[in-house]
Amino acid sequence: MSAFEDMQAEPGHLYGVGVGPGDAGLITLRAAALIGSADVIAYHQGSASRPSIARGIAAHLIGDVIEESLVYPVTTGESRRGYYTDMADFYEECAARLEVHLRAGRSVVVLAEGDPLFYGSFMYVHDLLSPRFPSTVVPGVTSMSAASAAVATGLCRHEDTLTVLPGTLGVPELARRLADTQAAVIMKLGRTFQDVREAARQAGVLQRAWYVERASSAQQRVLPLADVDPQTVPYMSIVVVTGEDLRADSAGRADSAGRDEAVRAEGQGSTGGQNPAADAHEPAPHDETATVYVVGLGPGPDRWLTPEASDVLNTVQHVIGYAPYVARVPQREGLQRHVSGNTVEVDRGRLALDLTMSGESVAVVSGGDAGVFGMASAVFEAAEGDERFAGIDIQVVPGLTAAHAAAALAGAVLGADHALISLSDRLKPWEVVVRRIQACAAADIAMAFYNPRSRSRPDQLALAKTALLEVAPPERIVVLARNVGRDGESLTVTTLGEFDPEQVDMSTLVIIGASSTRLARGGQAWTPRFVTG
């Protein structure tokens, strides 16, 4: 075929083919057929002196075809311009080499260890070539699946959450995420191994964490994570943290309780002291007052967390709350985290009170101030009327409120009398919401609206605007403060008549000014302290 004819050929087909984690017997039938019929076989390898693992797995299927060895140029420790910059250039080069074959009408199979799109290099080549050439991804057995099979213990059960994590995360973040999930798989070990093991220890999961090296291959090793020599750990290894077996039968419960105690004892690490959680099921002494803390975390940045709140969070054994708020609490050794959804506040309160009554030290967390549309009222509600909790002291630790943080961003829009109102009608009728906001507007009081709009309540802010315009002029100043103190922070100052409810979501706090609210020369909104009539 001439060079001209070669350029005129119908474009070839790109295949990303997973060959499994190591055992050639785990290659799928479809993958085997494609490998056997390909015009070009390509594969990534760590260096020119180290054979490609993916090619080694599929070697018995590769005939007399064109081969493209795609050798990585750097490791994270070797790059001078920046690892990701160097790798982006490398993937561009890989794509250019494969493009020559595709333009010549050849079928190109790129071998991928495990699955092509699960931490695989093929995905970057696919991103570059698939918009211009027909492409197909053939899934493979993942290293995660092989490692789980090697451990041969249930990975996750019932409603357990399984989290896949890179070992390159820092220790505090990795420990937090391990503590927030029921089961986990940690990839990318090698030089990160010691940090991964320390994170597992801090999260209290070391006793149910397993190390799997070269899963499914002839060199496979499976060891308890605590027993592994860090000097022997290759990159091709995985940590599996199995979920706890909480089956309802009595044996399952007994086994689970035994593991809980082991984890708690391990969580004390090198302190050498008695584990305060060891008597978790014993009631607190009657002559002592047990205390449950309800802590306001502030509306976002760590710098807005008060020293008192930080002190409490650094000493309690349990943190309970809505998942995004619990995620803001740094993980540390021995801390147990209990997360739940956004509509079970009283259930959280009961859990906190039960744990406190059993001798545990507990903090329930809220965003902003716990006493302003937060968990403080829910804990008091859970305690009310239950004599079991009569001896428990509920201590509320205040936090910076979202309304006042938003007002400060705008200037001083809540500088005089004001009201904080939730637009949610989950706990009160919508008619009550309308009556209250109209009464405040008629009384000429500035208002901050919490929970202004959500997916389940997309129209209520527009209805509130309509209700306000019945008693207040359209010139009334309105502030929309979104993600205050966090990434993506924005501020819009507009008027009641002009603001668009469609701009607002649950990350936005809406402030309706009083008739006296005005704009300063710098554009800030502020409300005078004095009232003339």
Side-chain angles (χ1 to χ4, degrees):
M1 181 182 291
S2 70
F4 177 77
E5 290 172 328
D6 189 64
M7 294 301 292
Q8 298 301 310
E10 288 292 322
H13 200 108
L14 175 69
Y15 296 92
V17 175
V19 296
D23 182 351
L26 295 178
I27 298 176
T28 66
L29 294 175
R30 188 176 184 204
L34 286 170
I35 294 168
S37 64
D39 298 317
V40 179
I41 297 291
Y43 41 81
H44 291 87
Q45 63 186 86
S47 68
S49 61
R50 288 192 299 168
S52 164
I53 296 175
R55 191 199 184 285
I57 297 170
H60 64 292
L61 299 171
I62 300 174
D64 185 15
V65 296
I66 301 170
E67 294 193 31
E68 291 283 0
S69 174
L70 310 172
V71 181
Y72 295 113
V74 293
T75 66
T76 54
E78 297 171 345
S79 177
R80 293 184 177 180
R81 295 189 308 147
Y83 175 74
Y84 292 110
T85 299
D86 286 338
M87 291 304 294
D89 290 347
F90 167 64
Y91 291 127
E92 290 276 3
E93 177 192 335
C94 293
R97 288 172 59 183
L98 300 183
E99 183 174 351
V100 172
H101 298 295
L102 293 168
R103 288 195 179 280
R106 302 181 185 113
S107 62
V108 178
V109 167
V110 181
L111 304 178
E113 185 178 3
D115 183 89
L117 301 183
F118 186 71
Y119 291 109
S121 294
F122 169 74
M123 71 180 80
Y124 303 104
V125 177
H126 181 264
D127 291 343
L128 294 168
L129 293 176
S130 61
R132 293 179 286 124
F133 297 96
S135 61
T136 300
V137 179
V138 179
V141 177
T142 65
S143 56
M144 175 179 73
S145 298
S148 175
V151 173
T153 300
L155 180 58
C156 46
R157 304 169 187 269
H158 302 298
E159 287 76 40
D160 282 357
T161 297
L162 170 65
T163 304
V164 180
L165 299 163
T168 49
L169 290 174
V171 171
E173 179 64 9
L174 185 56
R176 179 186 72 77
R177 296 195 185 203
L178 287 171
D180 283 346
T181 192
Q182 285 79 47
V185 171
I186 308 172
M187 316 284 293
K188 303 179 183 292
L189 298 187
R191 70 183 67 188
T192 69
F193 177 79
Q194 294 197 72
D195 284 348
V196 169
R197 185 159 63 183
E198 173 61 17
R201 188 182 71 81
Q202 291 185 17
V205 301
L206 187 59
Q207 296 303 316
R208 51 189 175 93
W210 293 87
Y211 167 85
V212 182
E213 181 179 310
R214 296 185 172 92
S216 84
S217 73
Q219 295 79 40
Q220 173 179 291
R221 286 203 307 156
V222 180
L223 293 168
L225 179 58
D227 296 345
V228 178
D229 178 1
Q231 303 304 315
T232 67
V233 175
Y235 181 82
M236 305 307 296
S237 52
I238 290 178
V239 168
V240 176
V241 180
T242 60
E244 296 184 277
D245 187 353
L246 301 178
R247 288 173 292 183
D249 60 277
S250 59
R253 285 196 299 270
D255 290 346
S256 174
R259 280 195 302 275
D260 286 347
E261 293 304 320
V263 169
R264 287 175 181 144
E266 180 278 325
Q268 291 301 301
S270 59
T271 59
Q274 184 177 359
N275 180 6
D279 300 322
H281 302 288
E282 293 296 324
H286 291 294
D287 57 349
E288 295 182 10
T289 300
T291 300
V292 60
Y293 298 93
V294 192
V295 179
L297 300 175
D302 292 343
R303 66 183 182 275
W304 288 351
L305 182 70
T306 69
E308 181 185 11
S310 183
D311 288 345
V312 169
L313 296 175
N314 284 335
T315 58
V316 294
Q317 297 162 297
H318 300 263
V319 172
I320 298 172
Y322 179 39
Y325 300 144
V326 173
R328 289 169 51 190
V329 179
Q331 180 60 28
R332 56 176 168 75
E333 185 177 342
L335 179 65
Q336 297 185 53
R337 306 156 75 88
H338 309 267
V339 301
S340 56
N342 197 26
T343 59
V344 290
E345 294 90 348
V346 176
D347 289 342
R348 278 189 223 126
R350 291 194 188 100
L351 173 60
L353 292 164
D354 281 332
L355 286 170
T356 302
M357 188 176 66
S358 297
E360 302 286 298
S361 57
V362 181
V364 182
V365 294
S366 274
D369 185 283
V372 179
F373 303 117
M375 278 301 302
S377 291
V379 175
F380 280 107
E381 182 179 342
E384 186 177 49
D386 193 327
E387 291 301 320
R388 295 181 303 138
F389 305 139
I392 296 178
D393 178 35
I394 301 171
Q395 182 171 327
V396 181
V397 180
L400 176 63
T401 69
H404 296 136
L409 179 65
V413 69
L414 298 180
D417 295 341
H418 59 270
L420 309 182
I421 299 175
S422 171
L423 293 192
S424 172
D425 61 350
R426 187 171 69 86
L427 299 175
K428 59 180 180 288
W430 177 247
E431 293 76 15
V432 172
V433 177
V434 171
R435 188 164 65 247
R436 288 179 177 178
I437 63 176
Q438 286 187 327
C440 288
D444 200 15
I445 295 175
M447 290 169 278
F449 290 162
Y450 283 67
N451 308 313
R453 189 168 179 265
S454 69
R455 291 179 183 176
S456 62
R457 299 180 292 101
D459 303 322
Q460 288 179 336
L461 183 59
L463 295 174
K465 175 181 175 178
T466 299
L468 286 172
L469 285 171
E470 293 176 4
V471 293
E475 296 79 19
R476 189 70 58 89
I477 286 177
V478 171
V479 168
L480 309 178
R482 188 174 188 278
N483 284 338
V484 179
R486 292 170 286 165
D487 291 341
E489 178 182 86
S490 66
L491 178 72
T492 301
V493 180
T494 181
T495 64
L496 181 60
E498 293 294 327
F499 96 90
D500 181 5
E502 294 292 324
Q503 293 180 279
V504 174
D505 58 18
M506 283 293 283
S507 297
T508 306
L509 197 132
V510 178
I511 302 178
I512 312 295
S515 63
S516 60
T517 303
R518 61 196 71 175
L519 298 182
R521 291 179 181 176
Q524 298 108 320
W526 67 288
T527 303
R529 296 171 297 156
F530 52 83
V531 177
T532 57

